[in-house]
């Protein structure tokens, strides 16, 4: 009997302590039920695909690319993927990351060899995938551009050769909703001026 | 023993009764019934239908009205709203508000604007006036102009002016990459934006009255005007003159900048807090994006949010903060982002599903706008935490940044 009484008391304790919490207001915001589709809006721009990247798409399947991506989503740098000026190599990054992974130093070294014999100016453009918001994505692109510049300068290329800019997620080379496509957009391009 | 059972039963009954009374109170929340009658003639069917939807959405979002389908709604808290929209002299709107049985005219007003495609602004103004006339809380926020930067192709974006429902839209800055629009003053006569056209990221101030464009500042790498002080005299800029994104305060009179943050990672999105004495910002100083704050004249930084692994966008109004937080862990594909509000030391969610980002307070702080991304399209969501009203409007564009 005493056990039953204690049981009841325990239940009562749980019951009443539960009342002390204030539940947050979570409004339902179901797009399907509440969206409005104005019929008189005629300006409906959409992002178009830019195939400016030099990729041998014909022989590389999505699964091939995915199997060669690093766990963080970075692309390998064997020359397959590139969006930089002739003789230069784009550097690819992992998701949300701005450090140069080991295999990307091959691209950095290739750029060093090319730039040793180049007297013009180079613009280093940092780019991101679409998964980020607002200013943070542009800052991420900037950090990627800066880290590539620093790596080149550390290997003897004069800092005065470079200008850096972040293009954020504004300049995708691929707009398909696929992992490999997002990986192509997380890059730093080197453009001869 | 019996005493405990009786005590338990008694408390249970009290609690149950308490819940019932709360429910009744909420349901009785005294929303006025309102019947909307469109007496316009000569409108294109699409415009006629759209104007009705705008009235309905505005009234519903106020949290004070319940749209009724029957015209017979007698009673002191019920109303009949008649409107006549026409293309006379641009757009012309006559609005009359009667009591529920239609016998007594309570409010009548005529509105006009120079071009017909701006008619949504007339409807928003009429509804906010009716709301005010009936003594409800202000909903002037529906009259605000919205600025957004939208992507129109790789490396191309334009800045668009719209009403809050995105029914009216007009591109005002075209060509090149134009980013991060931010209103320069409360009267919404000019705004700041980042232009990437010259190769060096530059912030300009654009006057929407006379079209004048004024240079403000430029920086290698990136530059963004994140916030404007309440008197309009100071700006919070994210700049990277040495390749490092940090937050600076720019004085419009002296044209000088003072560096407010100094971190080797990322500090962005500075927002004034507490009448401009403090700032809230996004930083990855803990290894992931999160919300921090600091006094303007002190180097000490304190963490503001202790939940979530990716809190990468924020806005402030007075002492209130809203921020977006990623709540799923997909490296690729869609993730759940929700918007949270911090008010009086309490943090609570104001969205519950979807990919919701870019939270922005209304000018009076009563409503939060956010952008929901879904299947490559963007929707503008509005949440009024006081009335628990919310609404999504389709934007038909991919949004880069937004302000209102």
């Amino acid at each position: 009997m005493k056990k039953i009484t204690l049981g009841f008391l325990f239940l009562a304790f749980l019951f009443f302590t539960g009342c002390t919490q204030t539940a947050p207001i979570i409004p339902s915001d179901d797009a399907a039920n509440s969206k409005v589709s104005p019929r008189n809006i005629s300006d409906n721009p959409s992002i178009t695909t830019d195939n400016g990247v030099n990729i041998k798409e014909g022989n590389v399947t999505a699964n091939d690319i995915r199997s060669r991506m690093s766990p963080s989503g970075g692309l390998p740098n064997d020359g397959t993927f590139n969006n930089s000026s002739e003789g230069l190599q784009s550097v690819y990054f992992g998701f949300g990351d701005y450090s140069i992974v080991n295999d990307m130093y091959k691209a950095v070294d290739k750029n060093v060899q090319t730039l040793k014999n180049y007297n013009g100016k180079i613009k280093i453009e940092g780019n991101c995938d679409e998964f980020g918001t607002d200013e943070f994505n542009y800052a991420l692109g900037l950090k990627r551009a800066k880290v590539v510049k620093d790596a080149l300068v550390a290997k003897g290329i004069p800092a005065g050769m470079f200008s850096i800019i972040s293009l954020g997620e504004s300049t995708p080379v691929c707009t398909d909703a696929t992992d490999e496509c997002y990986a192509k957009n997380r890059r730093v391009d080197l453009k001869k001026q | 023993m019996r005493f405990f059972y009786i005590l338990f039963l008694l408390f249970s009954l009290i609690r149950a009764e308490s819940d019932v009374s709360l429910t009744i109170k909420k349901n009785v929340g005294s929303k006025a019934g309102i019947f909307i009658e469109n007496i316009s003639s000569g409108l294109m069917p699409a415009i006629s239908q759209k104007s009705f939807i705008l009235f309905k959405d505005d009234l519903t979002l106020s949290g004070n009205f319940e749209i009724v389908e029957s015209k017979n709604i007698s009673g002191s808290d019920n109303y009949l709203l008649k409107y006549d929209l026409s293309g006379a002299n641009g757009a012309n709107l006559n609005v009359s508000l009667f009591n529920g049985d239609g016998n007594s005219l309570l409010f009548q007003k005529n509105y006009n604007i120079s071009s017909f495609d701006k008619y949504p602004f007339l409807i928003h103004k009429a509804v906010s006036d009716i709301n005010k006339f009936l003594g409800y809380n202000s909903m002037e926020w529906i009259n605000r102009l919205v600025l957004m930067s939208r992507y129109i192709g790789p490396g191309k974006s334009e800045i668009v002016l719209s009403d809050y429902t995105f029914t009216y839209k007009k591109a005002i800055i075209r060509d090149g990459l134009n980013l991060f629009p931010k209103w320069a003053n409360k009267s919404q006569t000019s705004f700041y934006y980042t232009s990437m056209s010259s190769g060096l990221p530059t912030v300009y101030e654009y006057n929407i009255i006379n079209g004048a464009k004024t240079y403000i500042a430029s920086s290698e790498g990136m530059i963004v005007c994140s916030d404007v002080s309440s008197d309009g005299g100071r700006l919070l800029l994210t700049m990277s003159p040495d390749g490092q994104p940090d937050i600076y305060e720019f004085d419009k009179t002296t044209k000088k900048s003072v560096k407010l943050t100094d971190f080797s990672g990322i500090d962005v999105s500075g927002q004034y807090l507490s009448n401009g004495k403090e700032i809230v910002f996004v930083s990855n100083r803990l290894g992931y994006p999160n919300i921090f704050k600091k006094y303007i004249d002190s180097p000490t930084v304190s963490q503001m949010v202790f939940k979530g692994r990716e809190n990468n966008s924020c806005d402030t109004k007075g002492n209130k903060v809203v921020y977006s937080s990623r709540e799923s862990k997909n490296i690729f594909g869609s993730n759940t982002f929700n918007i949270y509000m911090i008010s009086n030391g309490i943090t609570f969610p104001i969205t519950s599903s979807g990919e919701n980002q870019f939270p922005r307070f209304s000018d009076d702080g009563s409503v939060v706008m956010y952008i929901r991304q879904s299947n490559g399209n963007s929707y503008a969501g509005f949440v009024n935490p006081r009335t628990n009203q919310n609404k999504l409007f389709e934007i038909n564009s991919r949004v880069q940044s937004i302000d209102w």
Side-chain angles (χ1 to χ4, degrees):
Chain A
M1 195 63 199
K2 192 176 179 182
K3 282 182 181 175
I4 294 172
T5 305
L6 286 172
F8 264 112
L9 282 173
F10 181 64
L11 278 174
F13 173 76
L14 285 178
F15 194 73
F16 292 115
T17 52
C19 300
T20 60
Q21 290 186 339
T22 305
I25 300 167
I26 305 176
S28 96
D29 47 2
D30 184 4
N33 294 330
S34 56
K35 76 178 184 184
V36 174
S37 303
R39 294 178 60 188
N40 57 332
I41 294 172
S42 58
D43 46 349
N44 300 336
S46 60
I47 296 174
T48 54
T49 302
D50 180 353
N51 292 319
V53 65
N54 301 319
I55 302 172
K56 295 170 185 172
E57 292 273 20
N59 298 322
V60 183
T61 67
N63 284 336
D64 287 340
I65 298 171
R66 191 176 302 182
S67 67
R68 287 188 283 145
M69 289 160 69
S70 69
S72 63
L75 281 174
N77 200 60
D78 54 7
T80 306
F81 308 102
N82 193 24
N83 194 47
S84 293
S85 297
E86 188 179 353
L88 297 167
Q89 178 63 52
S90 297
V91 180
Y92 294 88
F93 291 81
F95 180 79
D97 197 9
Y98 53 84
S99 57
I100 301 176
V101 295
N102 277 342
D103 60 351
M104 281 296 149
Y105 275 101
K106 292 175 191 168
V108 173
D109 291 341
K110 180 180 178 182
N111 291 330
V112 169
Q113 293 308 313
T114 302
L115 294 175
K116 276 180 180 173
N117 303 310
Y118 181 70
N119 296 318
K121 297 286 185 183
I122 297 289
K123 181 182 275 189
I124 303 178
E125 300 174 345
N127 295 274
C128 302
D129 61 27
E130 63 183 73
F131 301 108
T133 53
D134 222 352
E135 291 185 37
F136 195 87
N137 229 23
Y138 276 77
L140 183 60
L142 177 65
K143 292 294 288 184
R144 287 173 177 166
K146 175 79 162 44
V147 78
V148 169
K149 176 188 171 183
D150 290 347
L152 294 169
V153 171
K155 288 177 180 282
I157 308 298
M161 178 184 284
F162 303 110
S163 64
I164 60 174
I165 192 167
S166 175
L167 298 177
E169 72 283 357
S170 72
T171 314
V173 292
C174 179
T175 55
D176 298 336
T178 60
D179 299 353
E180 57 274 15
C181 187
Y182 302 138
K184 288 177 199 169
N185 293 333
R186 293 190 294 268
R187 71 191 193 279
V188 165
D189 298 330
L190 287 81
K191 301 287 178 68
K192 292 177 180 174
Q193 300 297 292
Chain B
M1 187 61 242
R2 211 172 279 165
F3 169 76
F4 286 119
Y5 294 138
I6 292 168
L7 195 66
F8 179 74
L9 202 63
L10 193 63
F11 275 116
S12 299
L13 284 172
I14 290 169
R15 179 190 152 84
E17 191 178 338
S18 163
D19 277 354
V20 170
S21 67
L22 278 174
T23 305
I24 290 169
K25 191 177 176 185
K26 191 176 178 183
N27 289 340
V28 176
S30 60
K31 281 186 183 175
I34 189 163
F35 179 81
I36 307 168
E37 187 176 3
N38 181 0
I39 58 171
S40 310
S41 59
L43 285 180
M44 288 170 60
I47 302 289
S48 183
Q49 184 185 6
K50 182 63 194 170
S51 65
F52 185 86
I53 291 171
L54 287 172
F55 267 107
K56 192 175 169 184
D57 288 342
D58 285 359
L59 288 163
T60 304
L61 264 173
S62 74
N64 302 318
F65 300 98
E66 184 179 348
I67 311 300
V68 297
E69 304 297 327
S70 167
K71 201 172 178 180
N72 300 316
I73 48 165
S74 58
S76 60
D77 278 343
N78 293 322
Y79 303 99
L80 166 64
L81 187 155
K82 290 185 181 181
Y83 74 90
D84 181 2
L85 177 65
S86 72
N89 301 318
N92 198 72
L93 177 69
N94 272 306
V95 173
S96 305
L97 183 74
F98 298 86
N99 63 353
D101 56 20
N103 290 330
S104 302
L105 178 64
L106 305 173
F107 173 93
Q108 190 169 47
K109 203 165 179 179
N110 178 259
Y111 302 87
N112 185 268
I113 199 163
S114 57
S115 86
F116 185 76
D117 56 358
K118 294 178 181 171
Y119 77 89
F121 291 106
L122 302 186
I123 294 174
H124 303 326
K125 180 66 177 145
V127 170
S128 66
D129 282 353
I130 288 169
N131 197 66
K132 186 178 179 183
F133 170 77
L134 293 174
Y136 293 119
N137 286 336
S138 169
M139 59 179 307
E140 290 292 321
W141 59 269
I142 64 173
N143 298 313
R144 300 281 293 177
L145 295 166
V146 177
L147 280 170
M148 73 166 165
S149 167
R150 67 180 177 192
Y151 290 123
I152 55 173
K156 292 178 183 173
S157 64
E158 58 188 16
I159 293 175
V160 175
L161 199 62
S162 77
D163 73 313
Y164 91 96
T165 65
F166 296 87
T167 306
Y168 170 82
K169 287 192 281 193
K170 183 182 180 185
I172 48 177
I173 306 286
R174 294 174 181 271
D175 300 326
L177 195 54
N178 305 291
L179 310 165
F180 300 108
K182 184 77 187 173
W183 285 113
N185 48 35
K186 285 184 181 296
S187 57
Q188 296 191 309
T189 55
S190 65
F191 64 88
Y192 303 105
Y193 72 100
T194 300
S195 169
M196 309 286 265
S197 300
S198 68
L200 188 65
T202 303
V203 167
Y204 291 102
E205 181 175 2
Y206 182 83
N207 186 311
I208 63 170
I209 308 298
N210 58 23
K213 191 170 94 169
T214 309
Y215 170 87
I216 298 295
S218 57
S219 168
E220 186 182 15
M222 70 178 288
I223 184 168
V224 179
C225 175
S226 310
D227 201 13
V228 181
S229 64
S230 55
D231 64 359
R234 295 171 295 146
L235 315 180
L236 288 177
L237 303 178
T238 296
M239 291 197 292
S240 53
D242 52 359
Q244 180 58 43
D246 275 306
I247 298 166
Y248 295 72
E249 187 175 49
F250 178 84
D251 188 310
K252 276 192 80 176
T253 306
T254 64
K255 313 286 187 199
K256 289 183 177 173
S257 298
V258 176
K259 193 175 185 180
L260 299 184
T261 65
D262 189 9
F263 170 57
S264 60
I266 294 173
D267 285 340
V268 292
S269 301
Q271 302 288 326
Y272 285 109
L273 186 71
S274 304
N275 297 322
K277 293 174 185 170
E278 292 176 87
I279 62 165
V280 172
F281 61 101
V282 177
S283 174
N284 69 341
R285 57 191 63 215
L286 292 180
Y288 59 93
N290 200 6
I291 314 298
F292 294 83
K293 68 175 180 177
K294 74 181 286 291
Y295 283 96
I296 283 198
D297 54 4
S298 164
T300 306
V301 170
S302 58
Q303 186 177 350
M304 210 176 175
V305 175
F306 295 87
K307 180 179 179 296
R309 294 292 294 179
E310 190 176 327
N311 307 319
N312 56 13
S313 182
C314 65
D315 191 29
T316 59
K317 184 60 64 179
N319 286 317
K320 292 191 289 190
V321 178
V322 283
Y323 66 93
S324 65
S325 179
R326 188 169 68 135
E327 301 191 314
S328 56
K329 295 178 180 175
N330 297 331
I331 287 181
F332 307 113
S334 62
N335 275 288
T336 299
F337 283 83
N338 276 316
I339 310 291
Y340 285 79
M341 180 183 286
I342 305 174
S343 179
N344 296 322
I346 299 170
T347 303
F348 56 94
I350 58 173
T351 65
S352 56
S353 62
E355 198 175 320
N356 310 296
Q357 294 169 311
F358 305 101
R360 297 285 186 269
F361 276 110
S362 60
D363 186 52
D364 63 3
S366 64
V367 174
V368 177
M369 174 168 63
Y370 60 91
I371 301 299
R372 172 177 288 186
Q373 306 290 355
S374 180
N375 298 323
N377 200 353
S378 300
Y379 300 81
F382 294 85
V383 178
N384 185 336
R386 183 185 63 81
T387 63
N388 204 17
Q389 295 294 322
N390 63 91
K391 186 76 184 170
L392 285 175
F393 297 98
E394 191 172 3
I395 300 180
N396 280 326
S397 305
R398 180 157 177 80
V399 174
Q400 185 274 323
S401 185
I402 200 156
D403 193 39
W404 68 322

